[in-house]
Amino acid sequence: MDTHALIRQLVQKNDSKIVMYVADGLGGLPQKPGGKTELETASTPNLDKLAAEGVCGGSIPVAPGIAPGSGPGHLGLFGYDPVEFLIGRGALEATGIGFKLEEGDVAIRANFCTLDSDGNIADRRAGRIPTEESTPIVERLAKEVSISGIETVILPVKEHRFVIVLRGDGLVGNVDDTDPQATGVPPLNPAARDDASQKTAEVCSQLLEQVRKLLADEAKANFCTLRGITGKPSIPSFEEVYGLHAAAIAVYPMYKGLANLVGMDIIGEAQTLDEQMEVLKSVWDKYDFFFIHFKYTDSTGEDGNFDAKVKRTEEYDAAVPAIMELGPDVFIATGDHSTPSMLASHSWHSVPTLLWAENCRCDPATSFGESQCLTGGLGQFEAKHLMTLALANAGRLGKFGA
Amino acid sequence: MDTHALIRQLVQKNDSKIVMYVADGLGGLPQKPGGKTELETASTPNLDKLAAEGVCGGSIPVAPGIAPGSGPGHLGLFGYDPVEFLIGRGALEATGIGFKLEEGDVAIRANFCTLDSDGNIADRRAGRIPTEESTPIVERLAKEVSISGIETVILPVKEHRFVIVLRGDGLVGNVDDTDPQATGVPPLNPAARDDASQKTAEVCSQLLEQVRKLLADEAKANFCTLRGITGKPSIPSFEEVYGLHAAAIAVYPMYKGLANLVGMDIIGEAQTLDEQMEVLKSVWDKYDFFFIHFKYTDSTGEDGNFDAKVKRTEEYDAAVPAIMELGPDVFIATGDHSTPSMLASHSWHSVPTLLWAENCRCDPATSFGESQCLTGGLGQFEAKHLMTLALANAGRLGKFGA
């Protein structure tokens, strides 16, 4: 079923406000079977109160057993089937450093590599060259590379990784990687996968030729490979699909970038949750939908630090009253995936989710945690349905059929 | 997955009896968060006993967040994906007044309108002309309109609304609406959306020409617009897909019509639940499947009358023993959607559902209500799967694969 086609038919506007408050990697695991997860260990009086008044459930980011990255995790929360709407690696890398891709851009993830004297790859990551060494090299490329009729944007990321964006007429991003995924062989030439991408492949070849000359004297980073040569993903906007004027209030570039891909306005320069709440308050009257992103439940989980994740979860909870005093019609607390500190990585486990709204049909859950979410009224559901539920609870969907 | 294709492969006949007992709009909401819904407030000893012996769950009519009309709501219960099997507005309107569409018919919802002296629409609904005024006009049209080679059936509905059915060779229902959705402009001419519908568009033009002349002297209803010009939906029958000889025992034309679209026999002229139960008993030996429809849980919900819905739910429960004493192999109690009296409208909330059968795998639910259904053995499931569960519990499905 094409849920978006259905929603477009049914959407009706009103003056309701929806808040989606995302704790990255929220779901967790107990330290021992039968114990409490990070969320269940944390003291979260504000979320517990909303869980008692609202409805809970377990959100499955993509499909049972699938652990998503930030891209598919957030696309699911935003109501886009994360298997249908794919963000190419180049586009995600550019998005991740906050670059705003435009229609027709082609984004590339580039890796510095080391070529030996025969032109074969000796090190695919240029000895994982430190960021402080790689950044000046990227800046030099940004200054020197020049391709007729094409604007090139070259930006550092971290260590051996950087981003190239090509902007110009007739560029289509369907070109093979040039990384041969092996050493002792030369890099591959950029090969178009379709006729429409021929020009992009030629531009990539010119670019690589210039890079080879410019970096010839570098000890480690004397060349680069190109990966994930992709255009801006074609994703209908929040305004188009849901009729929502949406704002994103995030700290990290990746999440601003993801929100931007679905057409949200990126608001403010907040660096802390308190500052995010100030930004929220300042634009409350101007938007219908607010995506607020909190990173540290994920990063502490990735660090494998159970206690730190508990503490960060408590910070996440402590900011809830600042949202609720603004009077949202629909409040959702969830995560884009689980990041159990016991695994120190993203996982496939369902994500505790609560939806609070006047007519949400309150369930028996009395606090917010993985176990209580199992018997919640939202059941175990695919994340992509959450936006439909948000719209319904906000009175923004008409009846389907007579 | 095409569930119907799978079921067709696996169906095996036996002499089991399945009863689907539908309380329209059954699901509800508490008057205050944490309170009891209409169903939970009602005294329903018969359904509670079956819930304790059977298996419960929450049926999602279409998809999370989607509130369906009666058409998609019932198609889901009957095991047809309500987004795949769409009933056009004309076909639904004809069905709703109990008209039995045949293959090749084209059904149209017509609205009386008022044209000004320039032929522009002054009122799209002819001042919502009362039914007692519009019915004689419809009857006159039914008598006077005559199109060579085409049988026209013209039937009153209510106020400015009536139904036109065209019957004849070569008619296909894919013609644009003639209602311009605005006043001060003339009605649109019927335009075919494909070559196959050219003849239908021409017939509609002839019909409108005659209507214009016949109604020229009417004060309000001096013309009409045509909407939802559609054929009988192509829906495989219960017999074809499930191998079930099915009977519908309903009071209201809409539900008889919907059952007729999936090939059920419409049995009896019952006006009350007691009469429906008498009809059921009288045809018990003749059918495999019985759809029994109870309307008033929906209409009281639509009226926003919590107490009346509670009372109607008790009536629904009180008729259960009359069904059970006939000895069905599978008994299902459910609704086509929720109609919480707090919302006074159809809603998206899951619908309490119970399935009783000898080998259903009884769950811990001890009474029939929204909260207990959350932890029931059927989980939260899409309504379209209910028929497969009914067939399985009736021993009517063989094993898939070796």
Side-chain angles (χ1 to χ4, degrees):
Chain A
M1 185 183 59
D2 185 342
T3 313
H4 277 185
L6 190 57
I7 290 175
R8 282 172 195 250
Q9 278 177 45
L10 306 180
V11 157
Q12 55 197 18
K13 296 201 180 193
N14 63 21
D15 60 0
S16 62
K17 306 275 187 193
I18 302 170
V19 173
M20 183 179 278
Y21 184 40
V22 174
D24 207 296
L26 178 63
L29 281 173
Q31 291 172 295
K32 284 179 186 172
K36 288 180 174 181
T37 66
E38 298 91 328
L39 176 58
E40 289 167 345
T41 304
S43 166
T44 55
N46 301 298
L47 291 165
D48 291 348
K49 176 168 179 288
L50 295 177
E53 295 172 7
V55 60
C56 290
S59 161
I60 298 166
V62 178
I66 305 297
S70 299
H74 278 83
L75 282 188
L77 288 182
F78 296 158
Y80 299 81
D81 186 323
V83 177
E84 182 187 346
F85 293 94
L86 296 172
I87 307 175
R89 181 178 276 261
L92 189 66
E93 198 83 4
T95 297
I97 57 170
F99 184 84
K100 287 193 187 178
L101 285 173
E102 293 181 7
E103 218 59 58
D105 286 355
V106 167
I108 304 167
R109 169 172 165 176
N111 281 358
F112 283 122
C113 62
T114 311
L115 298 184
D116 64 21
S117 54
D118 296 329
N120 292 326
I121 293 182
D123 189 319
R124 289 174 53 238
R125 295 185 187 84
R128 286 198 187 271
I129 181 171
T131 308
E132 55 272 26
E133 288 179 37
S134 60
T135 299
I137 306 176
V138 173
E139 285 165 355
R140 187 149 63 85
L141 292 180
K143 206 174 140 191
E144 305 279 347
V145 166
S146 167
I147 298 169
S148 166
I150 301 290
E151 185 184 341
T152 53
V153 181
I154 305 184
L155 298 165
V157 179
K158 199 179 168 187
E159 297 173 346
H160 57 287
R161 288 155 47 201
F162 62 106
V163 162
I164 303 169
V165 178
L166 307 175
R167 184 169 287 174
D169 289 341
L171 297 179
V172 172
N174 195 14
V175 174
D176 277 341
D177 291 358
T178 71
D179 182 345
Q181 301 278 342
T183 54
V185 294
L188 304 171
N189 290 319
R193 291 201 200 107
D194 54 32
D195 287 347
S197 303
Q198 286 293 352
K199 183 174 173 185
T200 307
E202 283 158 27
V203 169
C204 289
S205 293
Q206 285 182 52
L207 181 140
L208 286 172
E209 208 174 313
Q210 294 185 25
V211 169
R212 194 187 287 261
K213 283 179 193 158
L214 288 164
L215 303 187
D217 294 333
E218 289 290 337
K220 289 186 233 168
N222 64 3
F223 196 50
C224 72
T225 56
L226 307 181
R227 301 176 67 180
I229 303 170
T230 45
K232 183 185 178 193
S234 180
I235 303 181
S237 74
F238 256 50
E239 187 78 52
E240 282 170 68
V241 183
Y242 307 129
L244 290 173
H245 190 44
I249 305 172
V251 172
Y252 283 76
M254 171 65 88
Y255 310 97
K256 293 181 180 175
L258 288 166
N260 181 249
L261 286 179
V262 297
M264 294 189 201
D265 286 352
I266 313 305
I267 307 295
E269 295 288 337
Q271 293 301 310
T272 66
L273 253 186
D274 284 349
E275 288 172 14
Q276 285 175 281
M277 294 308 151
E278 279 169 34
V279 171
L280 175 68
K281 196 171 171 182
S282 72
V283 296
W284 186 250
D285 293 338
K286 298 198 183 109
Y287 290 90
D288 308 311
F289 180 93
F290 304 87
F291 160 55
I292 308 171
H293 183 266
F294 180 69
K295 174 69 180 168
Y296 305 104
T297 32
D298 178 61
S299 42
T300 48
E302 290 261 20
D303 290 344
N305 192 332
F306 190 97
D307 294 340
K309 190 174 176 193
V310 168
K311 198 160 163 253
R312 291 301 199 167
T313 305
E314 293 178 348
E315 284 176 30
Y316 171 71
D317 178 77
V320 168
I323 300 171
M324 297 312 291
E325 72 190 18
L326 296 171
D329 298 278
V330 179
F331 171 85
I332 291 168
T334 187
D336 55 337
H337 52 75
S338 293
T339 307
S341 40
M342 300 308 290
L343 297 179
S345 71
H346 293 199
S347 80
W348 62 91
H349 302 90
S350 67
V351 185
T353 299
L354 90 76
L355 186 153
W356 178 96
E358 190 179 359
N359 295 309
C360 66
R361 191 190 271 166
C362 175
D363 63 21
T366 53
S367 68
F368 189 43
E370 285 80 349
S371 297
Q372 293 223 15
C373 282
L374 288 183
T375 51
L378 297 176
Q380 305 271 311
F381 64 96
E382 286 178 58
K384 67 181 178 186
H385 296 302
L386 191 56
M387 277 302 302
T388 324
L389 288 162
L391 292 167
N393 276 280
R396 284 176 175 266
L397 285 184
K399 191 165 67 173
F400 170 54
Chain B
M1 186 183 58
D2 184 341
T3 313
H4 278 185
L6 190 57
I7 291 175
R8 282 173 195 250
Q9 279 177 44
L10 307 181
V11 156
Q12 55 197 20
K13 297 203 179 191
N14 63 20
D15 61 359
S16 63
K17 305 278 187 190
I18 302 170
V19 173
M20 183 179 279
Y21 184 40
V22 174
D24 207 296
L26 177 63
L29 281 173
Q31 291 172 295
K32 286 180 185 172
K36 288 180 173 180
T37 65
E38 298 91 327
L39 176 57
E40 290 167 345
T41 304
S43 167
T44 55
N46 300 299
L47 290 166
D48 292 348
K49 177 168 179 289
L50 295 176
E53 295 172 7
V55 61
C56 289
S59 161
I60 298 167
V62 178
I66 304 295
S70 299
H74 278 83
L75 282 189
L77 289 181
F78 297 158
Y80 300 82
D81 186 323
V83 177
E84 183 187 345
F85 294 94
L86 295 171
I87 308 175
R89 183 178 275 262
L92 190 67
E93 198 84 3
T95 297
I97 58 169
F99 184 84
K100 288 192 188 179
L101 285 173
E102 292 182 6
E103 217 60 57
D105 285 356
V106 168
I108 305 167
R109 169 170 163 176
N111 282 358
F112 283 122
C113 63
T114 311
L115 298 183
D116 65 19
S117 54
D118 297 328
N120 292 329
I121 293 182
D123 189 318
R124 289 174 54 236
R125 296 184 188 83
R128 288 196 186 271
I129 180 172
T131 307
E132 56 272 25
E133 289 179 38
S134 60
T135 298
I137 305 175
V138 174
E139 285 165 355
R140 186 149 64 85
L141 291 179
K143 206 173 139 192
E144 305 279 347
V145 166
S146 166
I147 296 168
S148 167
I150 302 291
E151 185 184 342
T152 54
V153 181
I154 305 184
L155 299 165
V157 179
K158 199 179 169 186
E159 297 173 346
H160 58 285
R161 289 155 46 200
F162 62 106
V163 162
I164 302 170
V165 178
L166 308 174
R167 184 170 287 172
D169 289 340
L171 297 180
V172 173
N174 196 13
V175 174
D176 277 340
D177 290 359
T178 71
D179 182 345
Q181 301 278 344
T183 55
V185 294
L188 303 170
N189 290 319
R193 291 202 200 108
D194 54 32
D195 287 347
S197 303
Q198 286 295 351
K199 184 175 173 184
T200 307
E202 284 158 27
V203 169
C204 288
S205 294
Q206 286 182 50
L207 181 139
L208 286 172
E209 207 175 313
Q210 294 185 26
V211 170
R212 195 186 286 260
K213 283 179 191 157
L214 288 165
L215 303 186
D217 296 333
E218 289 291 336
K220 290 186 232 168
N222 64 2
F223 197 49
C224 71
T225 57
L226 308 181
R227 300 177 67 179
I229 301 169
T230 44
K232 183 185 176 192
S234 180
I235 302 179
S237 74
F238 256 51
E239 187 76 53
E240 281 170 69
V241 184
Y242 307 128
L244 290 173
H245 190 45
I249 305 171
V251 173
Y252 283 75
M254 171 66 89
Y255 311 97
K256 293 181 180 175
L258 288 166
N260 180 248
L261 286 180
V262 297
M264 294 189 202
D265 286 352
I266 314 304
I267 308 294
E269 295 289 336
Q271 294 301 310
T272 65
L273 254 185
D274 285 349
E275 288 172 13
Q276 285 175 280
M277 295 307 151
E278 281 169 35
V279 171
L280 174 68
K281 195 171 171 182
S282 73
V283 296
W284 186 251
D285 294 337
K286 297 198 182 109
Y287 291 91
D288 308 310
F289 180 94
F290 304 87
F291 160 56
I292 308 171
H293 183 266
F294 181 69
K295 174 68 179 168
Y296 306 103
T297 31
D298 178 62
S299 42
T300 48
E302 290 262 18
D303 290 344
N305 192 331
F306 191 96
D307 295 339
K309 189 174 176 194
V310 169
K311 199 160 161 251
R312 291 301 200 165
T313 304
E314 293 177 347
E315 284 176 30
Y316 172 71
D317 178 76
V320 168
I323 300 171
M324 297 313 290
E325 72 191 18
L326 297 171
D329 298 278
V330 178
F331 170 86
I332 292 168
T334 187
D336 56 337
H337 52 75
S338 293
T339 307
S341 40
M342 300 307 292
L343 297 179
S345 70
H346 293 199
S347 82
W348 63 90
H349 302 89
S350 66
V351 185
T353 299
L354 90 78
L355 185 153
W356 178 97
E358 190 179 358
N359 296 310
C360 65
R361 191 189 274 168
C362 175
D363 63 20
T366 52
S367 69
F368 189 43
E370 284 81 350
S371 296
Q372 293 224 13
C373 282
L374 290 183
T375 51
L378 297 176
Q380 307 267 315
F381 64 96
E382 287 179 56
K384 67 182 178 187
H385 297 304
L386 191 56
M387 277 303 300
T388 323
L389 288 163
L391 292 166
N393 276 280
R396 284 176 174 267
L397 285 184
K399 188 164 68 176
F400 170 55

